[in-house]
């Protein structure tokens, strides 16, 4: 198997992205540099007999992209040992230079593309996935605007400190299995969560929560705080923006793309919310840190 090397793009993202963060611990605040796990979309294209087709767009941390593409195709029964002739980054001139390392073309040894309809799952993703075109981002901008007549939500740091315990107490299935993610919806004053949903997939838990509000006539959720039990990536921030949520908190880390989206759409993003400390990655003005002493 070859690894195509011609006409490489000039810019390539690494697995770590540097950012600025506001760290809150008790009543102390400090601005510092932070390292985020890079999150970017990867488009996997198949090429055979002069035909080309996109089979998947997945979010990933850049690195070992060819191995990721090959492993994905093998796992889905699309390409096995000996089926791949070459793998390379895309050199299409219609792609922006920064996007070319986010597209991998897999050239098959066969004379035609396989019957993708016969695979167990369909991973073909259009530009509506949210990261593949400006049209989808423009649509998201239209949907996530907070009504001008309603003031921005603010929440005290002391309120945030208590949310993880309240979320954990409401995780009934996790207590029995220890293997589920959770998403909880809170009012700015904390207290008992309005709703908590669990799922093996962190994105599914958020979808369930938004669906609960939607079916009950409770959207937009611009007066609420969303807390997720794990890390937060692009998809979760996209779902929060669509629902009008102004404050998103996570007990673990955000990805680089989650921070980018939070900053673009004006969403306060809090990570590492544990034991009376947290980091603010975007829009810190919604967090009231009482008697805070800010240092450079």
């Amino acid at each position: 198997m070859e690894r195509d090397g011609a006409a490489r793009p000039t810019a390539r993202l690494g697995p770590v992205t540097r950012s600025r963060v506001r760290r809150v611990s008790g009543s102390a605040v400090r601005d510092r540099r932070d390292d985020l796990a890079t999150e970017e979309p990867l488009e996997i294209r198949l090429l055979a007999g002069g035909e080309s087709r996109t089979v998947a767009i997945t979010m990933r941390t850049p690195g070992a992209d060819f191995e990721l593409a090959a492993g994905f195709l093998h796992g889905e029964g699309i390409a096995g040992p000996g089926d791949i002739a070459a793998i390379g980054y895309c050199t299409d001139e219609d792609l922006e230079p920064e996007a070319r390392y986010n597209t991998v073309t897999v050239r098959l040894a066969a004379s035609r593309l396989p019957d993708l309809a016969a695979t167990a799952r369909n991973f073909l993703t259009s530009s509506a996935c949210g990261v593949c075109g400006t049209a989808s981002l423009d649509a998201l901008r239209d949907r996530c605007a907070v009504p001008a007549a309603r003031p921005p939500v603010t929440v005290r740091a002391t309120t945030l400190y208590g949310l993880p315990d309240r979320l954990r107490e409401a995780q009934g299935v996790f207590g029995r299995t220890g293997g589920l993610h959770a998403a909880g919806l809170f009012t700015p004053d904390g207290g008992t969560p309005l709703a908590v949903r669990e799922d093996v997939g962190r994105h599914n838990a958020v979808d369930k929560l938004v669906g609960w509000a939607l079916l009950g006539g409770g959207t937009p959720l611009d007066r609420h705080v969303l807390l997720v039990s794990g890390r937060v990536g692009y998809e979760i921030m996209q779902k929060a923006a669509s629902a009008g949520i102004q404050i998103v908190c996570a007990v673990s880390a955000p990805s680089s793309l989650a921070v980018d989206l939070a900053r673009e759409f004006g969403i306060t993003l809090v990570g590492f919310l544990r034991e009376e400390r947290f980091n603010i990655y975007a829009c810190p003005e919604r967090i009231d840190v009482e008697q805070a002493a800010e240092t450079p």
Side-chain angles (χ1 to χ4, degrees):
M1 183 192 74
E2 303 174 14
R3 297 195 177 192
D4 295 344
R8 294 287 194 206
T10 57
R12 184 174 184 176
L13 292 171
V16 176
T17 299
R18 289 185 175 181
S19 181
R20 298 294 299 178
V21 63
R22 177 160 294 181
R23 175 163 291 181
V24 179
S25 180
S27 61
V29 177
R30 184 164 64 96
D31 291 337
R32 61 183 294 273
R33 198 200 80 182
D34 194 41
D35 291 332
L36 306 173
T38 304
E39 182 184 30
E40 287 285 315
L42 180 69
E43 178 181 350
I44 301 174
R45 294 181 181 179
L46 286 184
L47 178 65
E51 294 182 280
S52 177
R53 184 176 179 185
T54 295
V55 294
I57 299 173
T58 184
M59 304 305 294
R60 99 299 189 195
T61 295
D65 292 331
F66 296 172
E67 289 86 349
L68 173 59
F72 172 84
L73 294 174
H74 181 273
E76 295 305 317
I78 297 174
D83 291 337
I84 298 176
I87 301 180
Y89 288 108
C90 186
T91 59
D92 287 358
E93 294 184 357
D94 60 341
L95 284 179
E96 295 294 331
E98 62 270 18
R100 293 174 188 169
Y101 270 120
N102 287 342
T103 305
V104 166
T105 297
V106 180
R107 181 160 57 86
L108 300 179
S111 59
R112 58 182 299 179
L113 291 175
D115 180 11
L116 299 176
T119 60
R121 291 184 287 173
N122 179 17
F123 286 90
L124 182 59
T125 308
S126 72
S127 60
C129 71
V131 297
C132 309
T134 58
S136 56
L137 287 175
D138 288 341
L140 184 60
R141 292 185 186 100
D142 292 338
R143 295 199 306 270
C144 74
V146 176
R150 307 189 73 173
V153 169
T154 58
V155 61
R156 292 183 176 182
T158 52
T159 298
L160 293 183
Y161 294 148
L163 298 190
D165 286 342
R166 292 184 177 89
L167 180 67
R168 175 65 183 84
E169 291 167 358
Q171 288 183 251
V173 182
F174 180 88
R176 297 168 57 190
T177 66
L180 291 179
H181 291 285
L185 200 63
F186 294 83
T187 57
D189 59 358
T192 303
L194 298 176
V196 171
R197 293 295 181 268
E198 296 177 280
D199 199 277
V200 292
R202 57 178 59 87
H203 309 132
N204 294 345
V206 175
D207 279 337
K208 290 178 178 180
L209 200 63
V210 174
W212 166 83
L214 180 67
L215 295 175
T219 55
L221 297 173
D222 56 299
R223 312 305 300 168
H224 301 81
V225 177
L226 172 67
L227 174 64
V228 296
S229 62
R231 64 178 179 83
V232 56
Y234 175 88
E235 286 95 341
I236 288 179
M237 292 306 300
Q238 183 185 39
K239 296 173 190 301
S242 296
I245 296 171
Q246 296 186 48
I247 301 175
V248 176
C249 302
V251 300
S252 190
S255 71
S256 64
L257 210 54
V259 173
D260 288 345
L261 194 70
R263 291 172 177 170
E264 178 174 357
F265 290 96
I267 301 172
T268 297
L269 177 56
V270 170
F272 292 107
L273 177 55
R274 310 169 186 170
E275 299 175 353
E276 295 195 1
R277 60 183 176 85
F278 55 82
N279 295 341
I280 308 175
Y281 293 88
C283 302
E285 63 274 9
R286 294 194 183 96
I287 308 300
D288 179 12
V289 184
E290 298 176 354
Q291 300 178 348
E294 188 165 348
T295 59

